[in-house]
Amino acid sequence: MVRASIRVRGAWAELEGGNEETLEEVLAFDHPAPYRSQAYRDKLWDGKLRLFSGTRFPAGLAPRVADHITEHQRRDVALHGWQPKTEVDWSWVDEEYLPPVGKFKKLWPHQLDAIRAFLANPRGIGKLPTGSGKTEIVAAVARLYWDEFGWRSLVLVPKLGLLHQTAHRLVGYYQGEVSVGIIGDGQRAYDCAVTVATAQTMARWRPSRVKGKLVGAERELRNLLQEVRVLFLDECHRASSETWYDIAMNCKAVRRYGLSGTPLKADAFADAKMIGATGPILYTADADTLISTGLAAKPKIVMVYAEAATGPDLTQEVHHEALKLTREQSLQRQLKKKRSPKRAALAIQRIKTPDPKLRYQVGYRLGIVENKAQNAAVVRGVQWLAKNKRRTLVLCRQKKHLALLVELFEQSGVSYISVEGASDLLERKHAKQALAGGKVQAVIATTIWDEGEDLECDAIILAEGVKSLQTTLQRIGRGMRRDSTDVWVIDFVPTATAQLREQAAHRADAYESEGYEVMLIDKWPSSSRGKLELPFTSWDVLYSAQG
């Protein structure tokens, strides 16, 4: 039988001695909702998402393709170009490889293990929870490649706050011996040994639209992607997005590493894109180990499932409003097709079921954003935590929700600061410092602090009821950094709709899968004067009794 070969060249791999049918078996995925596509309804598309073109596919998936051929076709596979020709001597990388800076004194054992796993492999992912010191891992690996081979590194980050935080810490660790540059926030440094860049700015390596205007490609960014030899994707669970994936797959780096506390999304296609852009998981540091060794705070999570806290069931209200919006949108579409108003009105009356997306949006707005009971419960929770000397981070998703919470906090007696997307870096820095120093009792924030940034807090209130398990775990991670022994978390279970309740159940499963301790309470004061009792202060006894 003919032997197959896979040749890896940078971001891409080529299958030789095989064909598209082979790749179809392993790199074609079912679209989750193909019926939404007109092409699918017209039978012009088969509803498959493919990660290959001809016999070319993302190089990070080379081992998966090779294993598939070996197992299902009983053929040997030669994998060329996967293992590096140049070996890296990392024997001298020890706990003192980076100098002590601020709170950092030396590399922890799990950091050394991750560094060695990266240096021993040309590409792959480190699954490292929040607070595990991902920046130190990047700093050590990038420095060694620069010192040994003169290889430049590009560190891709998702947000401005993380851009400046990462660059600042790298400068501290390198102490002028390795140059560090920033691309983003109006800055451009193209010729440094290590460059930290936002994906939003790097996306301008090709022509793009900025505020509705077509902007030409920045040649220097294109050149940078061609010249760097090492690529780091911080918060690499984003690598499946079109922007991140496009940057990664057009970068000529020969070493590619991803870092995230939650790299996998339980979405076969998205996970395959991420692995294709980086490589398989090389190292895992679980939160339990970090907690048990005192390197991370232990989350103690109370899920509140009480109508007094989150209001009544709103299924019927949500259905009626979503159906009304569905019909209005359908009417507008039919009028655009120049149908008579009478025929269009008759057609929309036949619509009996609301659009699922609109139903969710309405449910989220009524059940969470504009939910007076839950917003009041959030404030009450912060008051209780403040009395127990807990610096609290309140997280929501929408600016409107933040504004409604701010109105209530103004009358709460709790000192607070609010930050959102429009807040500049100085405002965000001030909020973090004020919370860390105890100058305010709470900070209310939107999604700007979902991932990556260093924060010091002792408690978190999840006011948003998100459906993304990945986002939830990232947000819990905000309080797990090594500043206290535990972090108290309150997660309100929405009672408005079955879909929101189901998402809360998935969050509970995610918490327990990470080894976090979770308690469910079904009592909440029915009035502002009622006594609030939360189990945190007697946690060990009550948690044991819960079984």
Side-chain angles (χ1 to χ4, degrees), residues 126-161:
K127 185 178 184 296
L128 299 146
T130 300
S132 58
K134 293 190 286 290
T135 305
E136 287 75 31
I137 294 168
V138 171
V141 175
R143 170 150 201 172
L144 191 140
Y145 278 133
W146 175 254
D147 288 344
E148 289 286 298
F149 310 115
W151 287 355
R152 294 166 59 195
S153 293
L154 173 63
V155 185
L156 203 65
V157 299
K159 297 185 179 181
L160 288 180

Side-chain angles (χ1 to χ4, degrees), residues 54-112:
T55 55
R56 188 171 181 252
F57 61 94
L61 295 164
R64 180 184 297 194
V65 173
D67 290 345
H68 178 83
I69 294 172
T70 301
E71 181 179 351
H72 294 278
Q73 298 182 6
R74 305 298 181 186
R75 291 197 290 163
D76 292 333
V77 181
L79 192 54
H80 302 288
W82 179 267
Q83 289 299 330
K85 294 180 180 179
T86 307
E87 291 190 5
V88 182
D89 179 14
W90 42 262
S91 60
W92 49 285
V93 177
D94 58 17
E95 61 184 17
E96 296 180 351
Y97 182 64
L98 296 177
V101 177
K103 294 183 178 181
F104 173 79
K105 304 304 177 187
K106 61 182 181 180
L107 290 167
W108 301 327
H110 75 273
Q111 290 175 316
L112 285 170

Side-chain angles (χ1 to χ4, degrees), residues 225-236:
L225 288 177
Q226 304 301 307
E227 294 166 3
V228 295
R229 305 291 283 170
V230 187
L231 174 66
F232 296 94
L233 301 183
D234 194 8
E235 308 300 348
C236 67

